[in-house]
Structure formats: structure tokens, C-alpha cells
Amino acid sequence: MITTAQTEKLRGWFAGRLPDDLFEELTEVTVDREEITVVGRVGAPRLAEDAPAAERDAAVAARIQEFRERTRETRMAVARDAEHRFRRKVSWGVVCGGERALFTHVAAPVMTRLRQPERQVLDTLIAAGVARSRSDALAWCVRLVQHHTEDWLGELRDSLEHVRRVRAQGPDAGLGPHGTADASAPDADEG
């Protein structure tokens, strides 16, 4: 898992590297082992206050598409720098008029072993038309859990960060994961 400090450094790098006029605001930088997702706010289209919902939706969709096309070269240059520096793919998204849209992003395969009762849950979702495949059904389940447990997951992430900090202060701070000297730790080969 990526630490809070690493995420903050990444967000700072993007805040410094992105042109000032790309987004109105850099709203989100998230990272995992495979991907960095950068989301910024772009200005909503100006419409009459009494504009119908269909007109508003079409205007927001068009603004997002215009932003995506107009900024492609700039975003690709930043992504190349970031991918070289951080060894992860970079994905982009925007928030516009209350809508959040992600552009092409990584769909990483995840292997898992499921027993029959768990497979039956996935197969039920397929039979009900909720998902097209077991893979889609599993992704749907993960999104459902994420939606209903975001506060709990946040507390869990905070706890993991605390454990990481406490471990770093322990007597084995200079040792790698198997109790051997960590070559990347300062002073690991002294002594």
C-alpha cells in the first residue's frame, strides 16, 4: 500500500508539473501499484438558469470532450514524465458541472480463488443481468463494498499508515522484510 507521505509527494509533483491553466483545481491524485489517477475540475458551461436537464447534461458532456481533446498533448507529456519517474501508468479525469468522468484508465487483472458459494454469488449476478461475466460481477461486488464502507476503509488505511510509522521506529528499522540488512536503508552496510 502507498503511504500518505508518498501520496502527498506525488500530489505535490503533479501540482508543480501541471500547467496552471490546465485545471481550475487539482481535485484528486490517487495511486496504487499499477496506476496514478489525476482528476481536476474544469469550468462548467454557462447556461441559462432554467436550462432543461437534457441541455445541461449535453453541455457538460461536450465540455468534458472538448477538454479531453484540447489538452491531450499536454497531458501526454506530463504522463510520460510521471510514468518514467514513478513507474506507473497515468490516467486522467475531470469533474465538470457535478459530473465526474475518467478517461482511459488501467483495468488491472486480479487473480483470486473462490469456493462454490462465492462463485454462486457471481453467477447469480450474471443470471440477473447485473454483470456480463464473473469478472464484471466481482468488480461490481468490490464497488458495492467500497460504496457502503468508505468510512471504514478510510479508518483502516489510516491504521495501516500508523502501523507503518511505528514499525519504522522499531529496532528492526534497518532490516528488510526477511530480517536481513536492507541495502536501501541508510547505514545498512555499516557496523
Side-chain angles (χ1 to χ4, degrees):
M1 196 165 141
I2 309 302
T3 66
T4 301
Q6 290 169 324
T7 301
E8 289 169 354
K9 285 180 183 177
L10 239 152
R11 184 178 172 86
W13 186 87
F14 277 98
R17 177 61 178 83
L18 292 173
D20 289 338
D21 61 346
L22 186 65
F23 297 123
E24 286 183 347
E25 174 188 10
L26 179 61
T27 60
E28 179 184 330
V29 176
T30 56
V31 62
D32 66 11
R33 288 184 285 182
E34 293 85 21
E35 177 180 29
I36 301 167
T37 303
V38 180
V39 179
R41 182 176 323 286
V42 297
R46 294 184 189 141
L47 299 169
E49 285 187 37
D50 61 346
E55 181 179 338
R56 189 169 305 281
D57 292 347
V60 167
R63 175 64 52 92
I64 291 169
Q65 186 62 35
E66 183 277 333
F67 171 86
R68 185 177 185 185
E69 292 170 8
R70 176 176 46 83
T71 63
R72 182 172 278 120
E73 292 300 319
T74 300
R75 290 183 295 105
M76 287 173 58
V78 172
R80 274 192 300 273
D81 290 350
E83 288 170 5
H84 177 75
R85 181 181 185 101
F86 301 113
R87 305 279 186 241
R88 290 174 174 85
K89 290 290 182 190
V90 176
S91 300
W92 300 91
V94 294
V95 175
C96 178
E99 293 295 318
R100 184 176 189 268
L102 291 178
F103 305 151
T104 305
H105 49 97
V106 174
V110 178
M111 295 294 292
T112 186
R113 295 185 185 277
L114 300 176
R115 303 228 186 280
Q116 188 178 38
E118 296 151 340
R119 294 191 310 267
Q120 288 175 334
V121 169
L122 300 181
D123 292 343
T124 300
L125 292 172
I126 295 166
V130 173
R132 293 184 316 261
S133 65
R134 284 182 173 175
S135 177
D136 286 345
L138 187 55
W140 184 89
C141 290
V142 169
R143 287 190 305 273
L144 181 66
V145 169
Q146 180 185 23
H147 176 73
H148 289 291
T149 60
E150 194 57 42
D151 291 340
W152 180 81
L153 288 173
E155 287 181 37
L156 188 60
R157 288 182 190 111
D158 291 345
S159 295
L160 288 170
E161 181 67 27
H162 178 71
V163 167
R164 204 174 280 113
R165 283 193 306 268
V166 170
R167 260 194 208 136
Q169 297 170 2
D172 296 336
L175 299 180
H178 304 291
T180 58
D182 184 357
S184 65
D187 305 325
D189 55 353
E190 294 182 13

